[in-house]
Amino acid sequence: MKSSALFPFILLIAAGCTVQAAEVSYQNDPTQPPVSHFRGTCEIDSDGTKFAARACYTTYYPGDQGFGNEYSPPVCMKKPLRKREKEVLAKIYSRAPDYLQAKLCRLTQLFVTQSKWWGPVGWGFWEGPDRPPGTGVYLAIASRELRSKKSIAELENETVNQLLGIRDAGGGRRAPVTRLQGEDADPVLTILSEVAHEMGHVLLADANADGEDAAHPRRRVSGPPRSACFEDAFLGTSWNAEIFHKNMRRWADFGFQNNNVQKNPDSAFNVEGVRAAVRTRNFGVASDAIRNVYRNNEFVSLQAKVAPEEDLAEMYRYKVLVDASPRGPVLRLDGKSIDVQSWLKSDILAKKVQCLRDLGFLTAQP
């Protein structure tokens, strides 16, 4: 994920492993749908200052964490956030749709991270009962993103660069890869979209959205999802479901395809193959992969084509983008405009949006 998420960019779900039952008390193999970790009530916070006041720095990285007695929850550093960072976080919250605000205000903790090595943006993390206390939902955004002035188009181009290993030649010379263009930068909307991507990963894990299969590693501690729509709307339309079910996971690193394969040959994308082409400066392969996204109306971004978990996180990000902006983001590719609002109403993408709704991701309820 674009975490990236990271979670992609890095989005982020905890990696599976086995622990002794005696190490931590929790129900093994629950059969009822999971109870959301997004609990409690939210204070009235029209300008987002209360939300921003809760944020703190951390050097924590969930991907390094174990389970049971080997697990340590994320903690805050003592250094206070900069005033400018708090102001940006407040604007992000006040700009967010009500359903995203309802999740942001119920986070166990919001973090700002200064490290870069785990991915382009930050991370989202669902704690899970086998990581005591097992009730936490956490989200982190990189401090450099809070200082950025990027447009949505610039963010998409930067993500593609990081995903495919594209490096400009320097001296103002850009790699000859097709690029998205857009309107003047709206930094708050851009950063909000990054937060939304990471939240998409947290929501996926919290609802166990991809856990209809009893063999999913998260099913050991989380019951089946309230809706099985992920199997139909995401896997059924766009992915080889058999391969996904053979490689299910609780943690998704940015840019790691995990053997997943797109269902439709016209949408085929192998991230390692395109990276290999880029290394030999065959940039036409990268340009074709980018154009394919906007030609087929099946995925909302190149990052969404990396894996089904990223598909859901990016779908959530674009839904937030449309709902947070009266016109939706204005994008152009090869001189042609992309009507994002209409795009999300097309057949396959509309089905994925409906799945987000069926899973409860678009409601202001906890």
Side-chain angles (χ1 to χ4, degrees):
M1 70 212 69
K2 194 167 180 246
S3 67
S4 347
L6 12 173
F7 6 109
F9 13 67
I10 324 237
L11 99 12
L12 293 159
I13 341 160
C17 76
T18 302
V19 295
Q20 297 295 323
E23 291 180 331
V24 58
S25 176
Y26 60 86
Q27 181 185 357
N28 286 308
D29 306 315
T31 58
Q32 297 299 312
V35 176
S36 176
H37 286 11
F38 291 92
R39 301 173 187 174
T41 58
C42 292
E43 299 181 68
I44 296 175
D45 189 16
S46 58
D47 62 1
T49 54
K50 294 177 182 177
F51 168 74
R54 295 179 53 209
C56 65
Y57 290 124
T58 192
T59 58
Y60 189 87
Y61 176 52
D64 289 339
Q65 297 303 311
F67 291 80
N69 294 335
E70 297 179 356
Y71 171 70
S72 297
V75 294
C76 293
M77 298 170 61
K78 292 182 179 180
K79 179 183 176 182
L81 253 62
R82 297 179 180 91
K83 179 181 177 182
R84 172 59 180 162
E85 292 172 330
K86 289 184 178 181
E87 290 173 348
V88 173
L89 288 171
K91 290 177 181 178
I92 290 168
Y93 183 86
S94 61
R95 187 80 174 268
D98 60 353
Y99 58 83
L100 179 53
Q101 285 187 354
K103 302 300 187 291
L104 289 171
C105 68
R106 290 180 171 90
L107 285 169
T108 306
Q109 183 63 55
L110 170 69
F111 293 108
V112 174
T113 176
Q114 295 177 302
S115 299
K116 297 181 180 181
W117 54 267
W118 59 56
V121 174
W123 47 260
F125 178 52
W126 172 84
E127 201 166 48
D130 49 356
R131 286 177 157 168
T135 57
V137 278
Y138 306 97
L139 191 147
I141 184 75
S143 61
R144 69 181 184 279
E145 298 304 313
L146 297 179
R147 299 190 298 269
S148 73
K149 302 294 182 182
K150 295 190 290 281
S151 67
I152 294 297
E154 290 168 334
L155 172 64
E156 294 291 354
N157 293 334
E158 180 182 281
T159 302
V160 167
N161 284 353
Q162 292 163 333
L163 184 64
L164 301 182
I166 297 171
R167 293 175 176 81
D168 293 336
R173 294 178 297 166
R174 301 176 65 186
V177 177
T178 191
R179 308 280 183 172
L180 282 170
Q181 294 83 40
E183 60 186 4
D184 294 339
D186 182 348
V188 172
L189 184 64
T190 301
I191 302 167
L192 173 62
S193 82
E194 296 174 309
V195 168
H197 174 95
E198 302 306 338
M199 182 62 78
H201 281 293
V202 181
L203 290 171
L204 179 145
D206 184 62
N208 201 11
D210 60 338
E212 178 69 12
D213 189 333
H216 195 293
R218 200 184 303 109
R219 283 292 294 272
R220 182 166 183 259
V221 295
S222 183
R226 289 181 173 82
S227 170
C229 65
F230 182 87
E231 295 286 323
D232 179 36
F234 287 90
L235 298 183
T237 61
S238 300
W239 297 94
N240 184 312
E242 182 179 359
I243 291 177
F244 173 81
H245 285 294
K246 289 179 179 179
N247 296 278
M248 295 179 293
R249 56 184 173 171
R250 287 176 60 181
W251 177 270
D253 277 322
F254 175 69
F256 183 56
Q257 199 152 0
N258 201 37
N259 296 314
N260 281 293
V261 176
Q262 297 78 28
K263 178 179 180 179
N264 304 317
D266 288 345
S267 294
F269 172 65
N270 180 278
V271 66
E272 290 295 342
V274 180
R275 286 172 186 162
V278 166
R279 287 195 293 271
T280 63
R281 303 194 64 78
N282 185 357
F283 294 115
V285 173
S287 292
D288 288 344
I290 295 166
R291 292 188 177 103
N292 182 275
V293 171
Y294 304 97
R295 182 174 64 236
N296 288 350
N297 297 332
E298 187 174 353
F299 298 92
V300 290
S301 70
L302 195 63
Q303 187 178 359
K305 298 180 73 171
V306 171
E309 301 97 330
E310 297 293 348
D311 192 4
L312 183 145
E314 283 289 274
M315 197 72 247
Y316 185 77
R317 178 169 79 94
Y318 264 83
K319 176 59 174 168
V320 168
L321 274 174
V322 165
D323 290 343
S325 178
R327 295 183 298 146
V330 177
L331 301 174
R332 294 187 301 277
L333 184 69
D334 297 333
K336 297 180 180 179
S337 295
I338 301 166
D339 183 348
V340 177
Q341 288 193 347
S342 297
W343 194 33
L344 295 195
K345 296 177 183 177
S346 60
D347 184 34
I348 291 178
L349 297 183
K351 194 170 186 177
K352 293 178 181 180
V353 170
Q354 182 59 46
C355 181
L356 299 180
R357 190 172 290 111
D358 292 344
L359 288 165
F361 295 175
L362 305 182
T363 175
Q365 299 301 315

